[in-house]
Amino acid sequence: MTAPAHTRSSAELIEAEEPVLAHNYHPLPVVVARAEGTWVEDVEGRRYLDMLAGYSALNFGHRHPALVEAAHRQLDQLTLTSRAFHNDRLAEFAERLAELTGLDMVLPMNTGAEAVESGIKVARKWAYDVKGVPTDQATIVVAADNFHGRTTTIVSFSTDETARAGFGPFTPGFRIVPYNDLAALEAAVDETTAAVLIEPIQGEAGVMIPDDGYLTGVRELTRRAGCLFVADEIQSGLGRTGRTLAVDHEDVVPDVLLLGKALGGGIVPVSAVVARREVMSVLRPGEHGSTFGGNPLAAAVGTAVVELLEGGEFQRRAAESGVILRDGLAELVGRGVVGFRSRGLWAGVDVDPAIGTGREISERLMREGVLVKDTHGSTIRLAPPLTITAEELRSALGSLEKVLTA
Ligand SMILES: Cc1ncc(COP(=O)(O)O)c(C=O)c1O
C-alpha cells in the first residue's frame, strides 16, 4: 500500500466532518485511507486488523484480487443500462446465485434494506394473489430485537426505540413475537399471515443464535400454516458462519432468501431477493423495480462473489478459523468476558460492564491496532474477513485479552 499525500491529518478530517456530515453515526476516531486483505491503514500510516469487515460486507477481505479484477474488467466494458434494456451480465449472475442458494429466481436490488422491502412486497403480493388473503389484510410475523434496516416500513417493526422514535407514523401489518420461541410464533400465525420474516442469527442484537431446531421448526410451522418463510441472511449469509447460509446448519431451505452486504464484494452495493419460482412469479412488469438493481457492474462483481463461494474454500476457512475464535473466547470467560456466542467467524462477546462499555472496549482495542464495533451495552461483535489467518486471529484475541485484563 502506498500512502497518498494527504493535506489533512486524521484529527483534522474528523473535525471537518462535524459541521457538514449528518450525525447519524458515531464512528471510532480512526480515518481509514487504504486497505488490503484483513488490514486497513489510516491517514498517518497506522495499521489496524479489521475485525468488523464492514458488518460482513467484506467477507472476502478488502480488495480481493478476483473481485477487483472482475470490477476493473467490467468498468472497461459497460457499467449501467437500467432494466429498460437487458445487459449481458445479468443472466449469469441470476443463474449462479439461484444455483448456489438452491432457489429458482432472483430479484436484484442494491442495499440490504431494499432487499427486505422487496421481500415484504413479494410476500404480500403472494398472499393476495396465491393464498387469497383479503386486500390489505396481509400480516407478516417478525421477531423482537430484529434488525432488518432503516427504511420507514422496516423501522415500523423494529423494537429498538432509538431506531424508531421520531420516525412515525409507522407501516401497519406486522406482528412481533419473541425470537427463538416457536410457540409464540405458532400463536401469531393465522389465515392473514403472508410470511414469517426472521434473521437465522440475529446479528445486530449481539449475534444471538437460536436453539438447535428453531429454524427447522420455523420451516415446518410456515409450511403447515401455508405462509412463506423469509430468511434475512444479509449479514449471516455468504460464508460468515462456516456454511454458505446460516440456514444450511439445519439443512433448511426458506421460500425467500434476502442477501446483501458481501454479495457486493465490498466494492459495490449488491443485494437480492432469491425465491422459489411460484413465489417470485407474482411480480409482473411495472410492479417493482430499481434504476441500479441488476446493473452490469453489480452483476459482474456479484457473479465473481458467487464464484468464490462455489469453491467452498471461504466457508471452510470460516468454519476452521471459527474454532480458533471460539476456543480463544472461551479462555477469556471469567477474565473480562462474561459470555459469548459464536458461529463460524462471527461472535458477540459480552464484556464485564465493570471493565467498560462496548464503546470503551472498542476504543481501547483500536489503540491496540484492532478494529471492532460494539452493539448494545457492553457487547462487542467480531466478524473479521473470512481470509483472516490463524496468526492474525490469535493476535486479535491477544489484544482483546490485553485490553480486558489490563
Ligand atoms: C440482517 C440485516 N438485514 C438488513 C440489513 C440492512 O442492510 P443495509 O444497511 O445494506 O440496508 C442489515 C444491516 O446491518 C442486516 O444486518
Side-chain angles (χ1 to χ4, degrees):
M1 288 186 273
T2 50
H6 261 289
T7 55
R8 292 195 273 186
S9 68
S10 287
E12 285 167 337
L13 287 165
I14 290 171
E15 200 179 311
E17 285 184 358
E18 210 277 335
V20 290
L21 200 60
H23 297 172
N24 57 325
Y25 276 94
H26 180 35
L28 288 176
V30 55
V31 183
V32 177
R34 294 163 292 279
E36 189 167 349
T38 38
W39 292 88
V40 303
E41 199 176 298
D42 74 5
V43 170
E44 284 77 18
R46 285 179 291 256
R47 279 159 54 83
Y48 304 83
L49 197 52
D50 184 354
M51 292 291 288
L52 178 66
Y55 301 95
S56 291
L58 290 153
N59 279 2
F60 311 98
H62 293 267
R63 303 191 301 113
H64 188 286
L67 303 180
V68 169
E69 201 212 320
H72 277 159
R73 227 183 309 125
Q74 194 58 39
L75 279 172
D76 288 335
Q77 296 289 327
L78 174 74
T79 54
L80 189 78
T81 53
S82 85
R83 297 287 306 279
F85 317 120
H86 298 269
N87 75 66
D88 69 344
R89 303 312 314 256
L90 202 43
E92 185 186 359
F93 173 57
E95 280 166 356
R96 290 174 78 167
L97 185 58
E99 170 83 27
L100 181 78
T101 56
L103 289 161
D104 304 315
M105 291 179 82
V106 173
L107 169 62
M109 299 298 288
N110 310 285
T111 65
E114 276 181 305
V116 175
E117 288 275 352
S118 305
I120 290 168
K121 286 176 74 176
V122 168
R124 285 180 169 179
K125 192 93 188 351
W126 174 87
Y128 300 126
D129 291 3
V130 179
K131 183 168 171 170
V133 173
T135 306
D136 292 346
Q137 299 299 304
T139 55
I140 293 181
V141 183
V142 300
D145 301 321
N146 68 72
F147 186 87
H148 297 285
R150 300 292 197 169
T151 65
T152 44
T153 285
I154 294 172
V155 299
S156 296
F157 57 88
S158 168
T159 55
D160 176 355
E161 261 319 293
T162 310
R164 284 167 56 87
F167 300 119
F170 298 115
T171 307
F174 298 94
R175 289 181 190 161
I176 303 171
V177 298
Y179 189 61
N180 194 25
D181 185 339
L182 286 170
L185 197 57
E186 180 109 52
V189 166
D190 64 17
E191 67 285 355
T192 67
T193 308
V196 172
L197 163 63
I198 55 155
E199 299 155 85
I201 293 175
Q202 289 190 322
E204 299 301 303
V207 191
M208 306 309 286
I209 303 171
D211 296 338
D212 287 347
Y214 176 67
L215 300 173
T216 309
V218 175
R219 177 66 284 183
E220 285 168 0
L221 192 158
T222 47
R223 195 170 276 138
R224 227 175 24 247
C227 66
L228 303 176
F229 178 7
V230 182
D232 180 347
E233 294 247 16
I234 288 163
Q235 194 164 164
S236 59
L238 306 181
R240 173 57 53 195
T241 66
R243 302 289 297 270
T244 302
L245 302 169
V247 288
D248 292 343
H249 289 277
E250 291 197 26
D251 291 324
V252 160
V253 182
D255 302 294
V256 180
L257 188 62
L258 310 176
L259 296 172
K261 294 194 191 279
L263 195 56
I267 297 178
V268 280
V270 185
S271 69
V273 181
V274 194
R276 290 196 292 113
R277 184 172 314 285
E278 54 271 44
V279 177
M280 194 69 93
S281 297
V282 299
L283 285 186
R284 309 301 310 156
E287 292 174 348
H288 190 60
S290 158
T291 302
F292 291 98
N295 72 73
L297 180 60
V301 173
T303 303
V305 164
V306 172
E307 190 166 342
L308 290 182
L309 289 165
E310 284 166 351
E313 178 202 336
F314 293 90
Q315 296 90 321
R316 224 164 14 250
R317 289 180 79 136
E320 284 166 14
S321 303
V323 175
I324 300 173
L325 179 64
R326 189 193 60 208
D327 291 351
L329 290 172
E331 281 180 28
L332 294 177
V333 173
R335 299 170 60 223
V337 168
V338 292
F340 75 93
R341 301 152 296 281
S342 81
R343 182 152 286 172
L345 270 175
W346 202 18
V349 184
D350 304 328
V351 173
D352 181 351
I355 295 175
T357 62
R359 171 75 189 195
E360 288 161 349
I361 301 297
S362 303
E363 288 180 359
R364 285 175 216 159
L365 275 169
M366 184 196 78
R367 289 193 282 276
E368 294 296 322
V370 176
L371 298 183
V372 303
K373 180 77 176 77
D374 53 304
T375 52
H376 302 282
S378 288
T379 300
I380 56 171
R381 165 225 338 242
L382 306 176
L386 310 183
T387 52
I388 194 168
T389 64
E391 195 186 346
E392 289 167 338
L393 192 50
R394 289 199 182 96
S395 153
L397 287 161
S399 299
L400 181 60
E401 179 180 15
K402 184 174 167 194
V403 161
L404 295 179
T405 56

